[in-house]
Amino acid sequence: VVAPILIAILIKTKSVGDVSLLMLVIYDVGLGLWVMYGVLLQSPSIVVMDGIAFLCSLIMTYIKMRY
């Protein structure tokens, strides 16, 4: 849900200044917790889907911190 919003902001404004770093960090933490929850439940579907979202979120956070 967050990725399309960020992509739209980046395309429209050509800037990441409108994106809150705090929001991204909180989102990263939440997804990381979901991945750990999936590992504890031994649920591959939770681990894979939230793992992919977590990696995308980390990339967005990196882009925000870099630019």
Side-chain angles (χ1 to χ4, degrees):
V1 173
V2 174
I5 295 169
L6 289 178
I7 291 169
I9 290 171
L10 290 172
I11 290 171
K12 189 174 184 178
T13 65
K14 305 286 189 228
S15 171
V16 293
D18 297 332
V19 180
S20 167
L21 181 61
L22 180 62
M23 178 201 70
L24 288 173
V25 170
I26 291 170
Y27 190 64
D28 290 341
V29 169
L31 285 171
L33 290 171
W34 270 106
V35 171
M36 290 190 308
Y37 177 69
V39 169
L40 289 173
L41 287 181
Q42 297 177 348
S43 174
S45 59
I46 294 175
V47 173
V48 170
M49 295 309 294
D50 287 321
I52 292 169
F54 184 57
L55 288 175
C56 291
S57 181
L58 288 176
I59 291 169
M60 290 185 291
T61 303
Y62 171 76
I63 290 170
K64 169 65 179 172
M65 291 179 11
R66 173 98 176 161
Y67 300 105

XYZ file of all heavy atoms in Angstrom:
513
model
N 0.825 -1.186 0.000
C 0.000 0.000 0.000
C 0.869 1.250 0.000
O 0.559 2.212 -0.652
C -0.942 0.012 1.232
C -1.687 1.300 1.345
C -1.877 -1.159 1.176
N 1.960 1.226 0.717
C 2.818 2.404 0.815
C 3.627 2.614 -0.461
O 3.806 3.743 -0.900
C 3.752 2.294 2.033
C 4.737 3.431 2.065
C 2.934 2.276 3.306
N 4.100 1.545 -1.082
C 4.962 1.663 -2.259
C 4.307 2.442 -3.394
O 4.940 3.345 -3.955
C 5.426 0.289 -2.720
N 3.064 2.147 -3.785
C 2.464 2.931 -4.867
C 2.328 4.417 -4.530
O 2.486 5.267 -5.401
C 1.084 2.298 -5.056
C 1.206 0.934 -4.504
C 2.216 1.028 -3.400
N 2.052 4.707 -3.274
C 1.935 6.107 -2.859
C 3.284 6.802 -3.007
O 3.376 7.916 -3.527
C 1.426 6.202 -1.406
C 0.006 5.663 -1.322
C 1.494 7.641 -0.898
C -0.489 5.461 0.090
N 4.354 6.137 -2.559
C 5.677 6.739 -2.661
C 6.108 6.904 -4.110
O 6.701 7.911 -4.474
C 6.702 5.885 -1.912
C 6.588 5.909 -0.402
C 7.629 4.996 0.214
C 6.757 7.312 0.121
N 5.809 5.921 -4.938
C 6.158 6.015 -6.358
C 5.419 7.179 -6.991
O 5.997 7.954 -7.761
C 5.859 4.688 -7.076
C 6.833 3.607 -6.590
C 5.966 4.854 -8.586
C 6.487 2.208 -7.018
N 4.148 7.344 -6.675
C 3.368 8.462 -7.213
C 3.956 9.795 -6.774
O 4.058 10.733 -7.574
C 1.912 8.347 -6.774
N 4.370 9.888 -5.506
C 4.981 11.127 -5.007
C 6.298 11.404 -5.729
O 6.561 12.527 -6.146
C 5.204 11.050 -3.482
C 3.862 11.096 -2.753
C 6.108 12.184 -3.004
C 3.959 10.819 -1.265
N 7.115 10.364 -5.897
C 8.401 10.545 -6.568
C 8.219 10.978 -8.012
O 8.944 11.846 -8.505
C 9.221 9.255 -6.509
C 9.764 8.868 -5.143
C 10.391 7.484 -5.199
C 10.764 9.891 -4.665
N 7.266 10.396 -8.726
C 7.030 10.749 -10.120
C 6.474 12.164 -10.232
O 6.899 12.938 -11.080
C 6.076 9.735 -10.777
C 6.796 8.391 -10.941
C 5.583 10.239 -12.132
C 5.909 7.262 -11.384
N 5.547 12.483 -9.340
C 4.873 13.784 -9.416
C 5.795 14.932 -9.004
O 5.859 15.952 -9.673
C 3.638 13.759 -8.530
C 2.744 14.954 -8.672
C 1.482 14.760 -7.862
C 0.532 15.907 -8.083
N -0.715 15.722 -7.333
N 6.509 14.776 -7.903
C 7.296 15.890 -7.363
C 8.785 15.795 -7.654
O 9.508 16.757 -7.456
C 7.124 15.973 -5.834
O 7.689 14.804 -5.244
C 5.670 16.121 -5.444
N 9.245 14.614 -8.082
C 10.686 14.384 -8.300
C 11.492 14.650 -7.037
O 12.637 15.061 -7.078
C 11.223 15.255 -9.439
C 10.493 15.124 -10.739
C 10.811 13.841 -11.427
C 10.234 13.850 -12.826
N 9.525 12.686 -13.172
N 10.865 14.430 -5.877
C 11.515 14.684 -4.598
C 11.002 13.699 -3.559
O 9.837 13.311 -3.590
C 11.209 16.110 -4.137
O 11.641 16.303 -2.820
N 11.879 13.318 -2.631
C 11.458 12.453 -1.532
C 11.266 13.256 -0.250
O 11.020 12.693 0.799
C 12.468 11.302 -1.287
C 12.475 10.341 -2.443
C 13.852 11.830 -0.995
N 11.353 14.557 -0.341
C 11.198 15.412 0.825
C 9.811 15.361 1.434
O 9.628 15.662 2.610
N 8.813 14.977 0.634
C 7.433 14.916 1.126
C 7.138 13.647 1.902
O 6.061 13.507 2.465
C 6.454 15.008 -0.048
C 6.557 16.330 -0.778
O 6.946 17.323 -0.130
O 6.258 16.368 -1.974
N 8.075 12.708 1.908
C 7.871 11.421 2.562
C 8.532 11.455 3.937
O 9.703 11.812 4.067
C 8.465 10.278 1.714
C 8.256 8.943 2.398
C 7.862 10.278 0.325
N 7.800 11.064 4.955
C 8.305 11.099 6.317
C 9.225 9.902 6.589
O 8.828 8.746 6.395
C 7.128 11.070 7.296
O 7.575 10.817 8.601
N 10.428 10.185 7.045
C 11.359 9.120 7.407
C 10.824 8.328 8.594
O 10.943 7.108 8.631
C 12.740 9.695 7.732
C 13.817 8.679 8.098
C 14.060 7.704 6.945
C 15.098 9.389 8.483
N 10.196 9.009 9.534
C 9.616 8.332 10.694
C 8.555 7.317 10.266
O 8.514 6.196 10.767
C 9.024 9.341 11.671
C 8.374 8.760 12.925
C 9.397 7.995 13.752
C 7.730 9.867 13.737
N 7.719 7.701 9.298
C 6.694 6.788 8.808
C 7.338 5.540 8.200
O 6.902 4.414 8.445
C 5.830 7.460 7.748
C 4.774 6.548 7.161
S 4.137 7.053 5.551
C 5.530 6.761 4.485
N 8.384 5.725 7.424
C 9.055 4.589 6.801
C 9.704 3.682 7.837
O 9.638 2.455 7.725
C 10.103 5.079 5.799
C 9.554 5.683 4.512
C 10.681 6.289 3.696
C 8.796 4.664 3.707
N 10.318 4.262 8.845
C 10.969 3.461 9.892
C 9.923 2.656 10.668
O 10.124 1.468 10.939
C 11.806 4.357 10.824
C 12.276 3.595 12.045
C 12.991 4.946 10.072
N 8.817 3.289 11.001
C 7.749 2.577 11.708
C 7.201 1.449 10.840
O 6.951 0.338 11.326
C 6.631 3.552 12.139
C 7.149 4.476 13.238
C 5.382 2.814 12.599
C 6.234 5.628 13.576
N 7.035 1.704 9.561
C 6.567 0.683 8.629
C 7.568 -0.469 8.551
O 7.185 -1.639 8.543
C 6.352 1.329 7.255
C 5.644 0.461 6.255
C 4.337 0.057 6.445
C 6.280 0.060 5.083
C 3.679 -0.736 5.523
C 5.631 -0.726 4.152
C 4.337 -1.119 4.377
O 3.699 -1.902 3.455
N 8.877 -0.144 8.495
C 9.924 -1.176 8.474
C 9.858 -2.057 9.724
O 9.934 -3.284 9.636
C 11.317 -0.540 8.406
C 11.603 0.117 7.072
O 10.916 -0.197 6.088
O 12.525 0.953 7.026
N 9.727 -1.428 10.871
C 9.670 -2.172 12.132
C 8.450 -3.102 12.148
O 8.551 -4.273 12.509
C 9.644 -1.210 13.348
C 9.326 -1.953 14.628
C 10.981 -0.487 13.465
N 7.309 -2.573 11.720
C 6.096 -3.386 11.691
C 6.232 -4.592 10.770
O 5.859 -5.713 11.130
N 6.784 -4.383 9.590
C 6.973 -5.503 8.668
C 7.995 -6.498 9.203
O 7.829 -7.711 9.045
C 7.394 -4.989 7.295
C 6.284 -4.352 6.480
C 6.850 -3.692 5.232
C 5.222 -5.365 6.111
N 9.049 -5.990 9.839
C 10.031 -6.891 10.441
C 9.404 -7.771 11.517
O 9.698 -8.965 11.614
N 8.517 -7.175 12.306
C 7.819 -7.953 13.333
C 6.905 -9.010 12.710
O 6.807 -10.131 13.218
C 7.018 -7.025 14.245
C 7.853 -6.138 15.173
C 6.959 -5.116 15.871
C 8.619 -6.974 16.171
N 6.253 -8.673 11.596
C 5.409 -9.652 10.912
C 6.236 -10.815 10.377
O 5.810 -11.971 10.422
C 4.630 -8.995 9.773
C 3.311 -8.465 10.225
C 2.981 -7.162 10.423
C 2.143 -9.228 10.541
N 1.683 -7.069 10.850
C 1.143 -8.321 10.931
C 1.853 -10.593 10.544
C -0.126 -8.740 11.311
C 0.577 -10.994 10.924
C -0.394 -10.073 11.295
N 7.423 -10.499 9.854
C 8.307 -11.571 9.363
C 8.702 -12.484 10.524
O 8.656 -13.713 10.402
C 9.552 -10.994 8.663
C 10.568 -12.085 8.350
C 9.156 -10.278 7.378
N 9.074 -11.903 11.654
C 9.435 -12.721 12.814
C 8.249 -13.552 13.294
O 8.404 -14.711 13.676
C 9.963 -11.838 13.948
C 11.318 -11.245 13.645
S 12.140 -10.431 15.037
C 10.927 -9.303 15.630
N 7.056 -12.982 13.271
C 5.844 -13.706 13.649
C 5.627 -14.900 12.719
O 5.311 -16.007 13.172
C 4.650 -12.747 13.594
C 3.314 -13.378 13.894
C 2.996 -13.823 15.166
C 2.355 -13.507 12.895
C 1.767 -14.395 15.443
C 1.127 -14.073 13.161
C 0.836 -14.518 14.437
O -0.386 -15.072 14.706
N 5.828 -14.685 11.424
C 5.694 -15.773 10.467
C 6.708 -16.877 10.698
O 6.402 -18.065 10.566
N 7.931 -16.484 11.078
C 8.965 -17.482 11.384
C 8.562 -18.281 12.622
O 8.694 -19.508 12.654
C 10.343 -16.799 11.573
C 11.363 -17.760 12.142
C 10.822 -16.214 10.251
N 8.083 -17.591 13.638
C 7.669 -18.283 14.859
C 6.516 -19.254 14.605
O 6.456 -20.325 15.201
C 7.259 -17.276 15.936
C 8.394 -16.468 16.552
C 7.833 -15.394 17.482
C 9.357 -17.362 17.303
N 5.601 -18.877 13.711
C 4.480 -19.753 13.374
C 4.865 -20.820 12.346
O 4.068 -21.705 12.068
C 3.320 -18.938 12.801
C 2.527 -18.077 13.739
C 1.397 -17.376 12.982
C 1.944 -18.881 14.882
N 6.059 -20.675 11.795
C 6.526 -21.541 10.712
C 5.542 -21.497 9.543
O 5.164 -22.522 8.981
C 6.742 -22.970 11.207
C 7.813 -23.071 12.269
C 7.978 -24.473 12.804
O 7.175 -25.360 12.559
N 9.058 -24.671 13.551
N 5.151 -20.291 9.186
C 4.207 -20.064 8.093
C 4.939 -19.443 6.905
O 5.226 -18.241 6.903
C 3.094 -19.133 8.564
O 2.260 -18.786 7.492
N 5.249 -20.249 5.901
C 5.984 -19.730 4.742
C 5.257 -18.590 4.032
O 5.911 -17.663 3.543
C 6.117 -20.938 3.816
C 5.875 -22.124 4.663
C 4.983 -21.671 5.778
N 3.943 -18.638 3.983
C 3.222 -17.586 3.272
C 3.400 -16.219 3.951
O 3.591 -15.205 3.271
C 1.736 -17.929 3.156
O 1.162 -18.090 4.431
N 3.353 -16.196 5.259
C 3.559 -14.931 5.981
C 4.997 -14.462 5.816
O 5.242 -13.287 5.537
C 3.214 -15.079 7.485
C 1.729 -15.333 7.664
C 3.624 -13.821 8.258
C 1.312 -15.604 9.098
N 5.943 -15.379 5.940
C 7.360 -15.011 5.841
C 7.684 -14.478 4.452
O 8.333 -13.437 4.316
C 8.264 -16.211 6.194
C 9.717 -15.893 5.922
C 8.066 -16.625 7.644
N 7.229 -15.166 3.422
C 7.572 -14.760 2.051
C 6.924 -13.421 1.700
O 7.607 -12.500 1.229
C 7.164 -15.851 1.037
C 7.281 -15.344 -0.390
C 8.015 -17.088 1.218
N 5.635 -13.306 1.908
C 4.939 -12.076 1.515
C 5.411 -10.864 2.320
O 5.670 -9.802 1.750
C 3.428 -12.249 1.656
C 2.863 -13.284 0.716
S 3.347 -13.068 -1.013
C 2.551 -11.537 -1.392
N 5.526 -11.030 3.625
C 5.989 -9.902 4.426
C 7.485 -9.673 4.250
O 7.961 -8.550 4.403
C 5.626 -10.107 5.899
C 4.137 -9.906 6.140
O 3.561 -8.993 5.534
O 3.555 -10.673 6.919
N 8.229 -10.718 3.927
C 9.653 -10.559 3.641
C 9.874 -9.717 2.399
O 10.736 -8.830 2.373
N 9.072 -9.953 1.363
C 9.167 -9.152 0.139
C 8.794 -7.702 0.428
O 9.492 -6.771 0.015
C 8.270 -9.747 -0.965
C 8.832 -11.091 -1.423
C 8.136 -8.788 -2.145
C 7.899 -11.887 -2.312
N 7.713 -7.509 1.158
C 7.289 -6.150 1.520
C 8.347 -5.466 2.381
O 8.615 -4.267 2.217
C 5.953 -6.198 2.256
N 8.969 -6.230 3.288
C 10.012 -5.687 4.157
C 11.221 -5.231 3.336
O 11.760 -4.140 3.568
C 10.415 -6.739 5.186
C 11.421 -6.287 6.204
C 11.183 -5.192 7.011
C 12.616 -6.976 6.361
C 12.111 -4.781 7.957
C 13.544 -6.573 7.303
C 13.295 -5.474 8.104
N 11.635 -6.038 2.371
C 12.762 -5.650 1.516
C 12.441 -4.397 0.700
O 13.278 -3.493 0.592
C 13.148 -6.800 0.597
C 13.834 -7.980 1.263
C 14.063 -9.101 0.254
C 15.142 -7.566 1.901
N 11.238 -4.333 0.146
C 10.829 -3.138 -0.596
C 10.816 -1.908 0.305
O 11.252 -0.822 -0.093
C 9.454 -3.349 -1.212
S 9.423 -4.540 -2.546
N 10.344 -2.086 1.510
C 10.286 -0.981 2.459
C 11.691 -0.511 2.848
O 11.935 0.685 2.982
C 9.499 -1.403 3.693
O 9.410 -0.348 4.606
N 12.592 -1.461 3.028
C 13.977 -1.082 3.339
C 14.607 -0.306 2.187
O 15.357 0.653 2.405
C 14.812 -2.321 3.664
C 14.526 -2.984 5.005
C 15.362 -4.252 5.147
C 14.792 -2.040 6.158
N 14.288 -0.707 0.963
C 14.803 0.017 -0.209
C 14.250 1.438 -0.230
O 14.986 2.394 -0.485
C 14.455 -0.744 -1.507
C 15.261 -2.035 -1.574
C 14.712 0.126 -2.739
C 14.826 -2.997 -2.654
N 12.950 1.581 0.070
C 12.358 2.919 0.110
C 12.998 3.774 1.207
O 13.262 4.958 0.998
C 10.849 2.827 0.327
C 10.110 2.273 -0.867
S 8.324 2.292 -0.696
C 8.069 1.064 0.562
N 13.272 3.165 2.342
C 13.915 3.893 3.429
C 15.331 4.307 3.025
O 15.752 5.440 3.287
C 13.962 3.035 4.709
O 12.626 2.646 5.033
C 14.563 3.799 5.869
N 16.047 3.423 2.361
C 17.386 3.746 1.872
C 17.345 4.916 0.892
O 18.151 5.842 0.975
C 18.022 2.521 1.212
C 19.305 2.832 0.500
C 20.485 3.051 1.214
C 19.350 2.941 -0.880
C 21.667 3.357 0.569
C 20.521 3.252 -1.542
C 21.677 3.450 -0.814
O 22.830 3.767 -1.465
N 16.383 4.867 -0.041
C 16.255 5.952 -1.018
C 15.962 7.267 -0.307
O 16.530 8.306 -0.641
C 15.154 5.617 -2.051
C 15.631 4.486 -2.954
C 14.771 6.837 -2.878
C 14.568 3.915 -3.855
N 15.077 7.224 0.688
C 14.750 8.439 1.433
C 15.981 9.002 2.136
O 16.237 10.202 2.105
C 13.640 8.134 2.456
C 13.387 9.217 3.474
C 12.860 10.478 2.859
C 12.598 11.523 3.934
N 12.265 12.802 3.412
N 16.770 8.135 2.751
C 17.953 8.603 3.479
C 19.053 9.056 2.509
O 19.811 9.971 2.828
C 18.454 7.518 4.412
C 17.500 7.286 5.556
S 17.882 5.999 6.777
C 19.497 5.499 6.514
N 19.112 8.447 1.360
C 20.155 8.774 0.379
C 19.871 10.105 -0.316
O 20.761 10.883 -0.576
C 20.229 7.648 -0.635
C 21.124 7.887 -1.793
C 22.443 7.260 -1.601
N 23.192 7.480 -2.839
C 24.473 7.377 -2.900
N 25.143 7.033 -1.836
N 25.098 7.601 -4.011
N 18.615 10.342 -0.655
C 18.256 11.555 -1.404
C 17.515 12.509 -0.527
O 17.082 13.491 -0.792
C 17.422 11.186 -2.635
C 18.158 10.279 -3.587
C 17.842 8.928 -3.668
C 19.169 10.765 -4.367
C 18.515 8.091 -4.550
C 19.854 9.919 -5.239
C 19.521 8.591 -5.326
O 20.181 7.764 -6.164
